Amino acid sequence: MNTQDLLDQIAFIKEIDKVKYIQRKTKLFNSDRCENDAEHSWHLALMAIILAEHSNESIDVLKVVKMVLIHDIVEIDAGDVFIYDTAKNYSNTDEERLAANRIFGLLPKNQAEELIAIWEEFEAGETDEAKFAKSMDRLEPLLQNTSNDGGTWKEFGVNYDKVYEKKSVIQEGSKSIWNYAEGLIDESVEKGILKKE
């Protein structure tokens, strides 16, 4: 056993506990309480396992689970950026790159390199696994907002066009889930919980 590797792994495990304290804008299903990043990542991991059969392509489910479990760890340093934020772009940033190098860098070299590569693959969104992982990441808040009478859409004045633009990424990972999601978006407009301008 390599004692230093174990100590490095324990240091990483302690560091990522901070993910539990990062509050997201979206709220839990049928709730007024905001979700935290750890809850979000756990939910996406289970969604990926349960919904994998709906992927457009055959995928490595374990890799998708790894992606969704680690994709927001960088927010320990970089903070959470609301997907509909108009001041800061919701995409890979220099802050996130520095965070990935620092946080994953706590691990032994081979594990650090693996997790950084998986994080980069998710961010790039080009592989079948990354496309499906991003589909899960966009679906969960949609389900939350529809369960919360418009949730963050109402709270932050987000309109149909913006929601449709951000959520249409789902189809790249799963056309069948996108069909379902698109129906939810249209239904939200009909119910008056999502405004068309």
Side-chain angles (χ1 to χ4, degrees):
M1 177 180 85
N2 184 327
T3 305
Q4 188 56 55
D5 281 359
L6 177 61
L7 293 175
D8 292 345
Q9 290 161 335
I10 296 296
F12 174 79
I13 288 166
K14 289 180 178 179
E15 182 66 12
I16 64 169
D17 188 67
K18 294 175 182 175
V19 169
K20 298 172 186 174
Y21 297 94
I22 300 169
Q23 295 298 304
R24 294 170 47 82
K25 297 283 192 254
T26 48
K27 295 177 173 65
L28 301 175
F29 286 83
N30 303 305
S31 176
D32 290 333
R33 182 172 77 76
C34 287
E35 175 181 53
N36 68 48
D37 270 359
E39 292 167 325
H40 170 66
S41 297
W42 163 84
H43 209 175
L44 297 187
L46 279 173
M47 288 170 59
I49 292 166
I50 300 302
L51 299 173
E53 68 184 85
H54 300 286
S55 176
N56 291 339
E57 305 295 336
S58 179
I59 52 171
D60 178 345
V61 177
L62 177 58
K63 190 173 198 181
V64 174
V65 168
K66 287 180 181 181
M67 281 182 185
V68 297
L69 285 174
I70 69 167
H71 79 291
D72 279 342
I73 285 176
V74 296
E75 293 182 1
I76 290 171
D77 290 356
D80 179 48
V81 177
F82 185 43
I83 193 169
Y84 302 111
D85 194 312
T86 55
K88 188 169 184 178
N89 187 17
Y90 181 83
S91 63
N92 190 9
T93 64
D94 292 337
E95 293 93 359
E96 288 177 339
R97 161 63 52 209
L98 291 171
N101 289 336
R102 183 192 75 76
I103 299 165
F104 297 128
L106 296 171
L107 288 164
K109 188 175 189 297
N110 63 329
Q111 286 184 317
E113 288 173 353
E114 177 195 2
L115 293 188
I116 288 171
I118 289 170
W119 177 78
E120 288 173 338
E121 183 177 339
F122 174 84
E123 289 296 317
E126 295 171 356
T127 64
D128 294 331
E129 286 77 14
K131 289 174 184 176
F132 190 73
K134 284 186 175 285
S135 292
M136 298 298 95
D137 193 33
R138 298 294 169 93
L139 176 63
E140 191 224 20
L142 172 63
L143 297 174
Q144 290 168 323
N145 281 327
T146 56
S147 80
N148 285 318
D149 197 33
T152 53
W153 302 334
K154 276 187 173 178
E155 186 178 349
F156 297 99
V158 180
N159 67 25
Y160 167 88
D161 290 335
K162 190 57 91 171
V163 170
Y164 195 91
E165 172 199 339
K166 296 293 185 182
K167 299 304 177 185
S168 64
V169 169
I170 293 170
Q171 66 190 312
E172 294 180 25
S174 174
K175 290 187 181 3
S176 59
I177 293 175
W178 170 242
N179 289 339
Y180 173 77
E182 192 174 26
L184 284 180
I185 294 169
D186 292 341
E187 188 178 296
S188 297
V189 172
E190 290 168 18
K191 289 181 177 176
I193 63 174
L194 181 60
K195 303 289 183 203
K196 272 193 171 180
E197 295 181 347

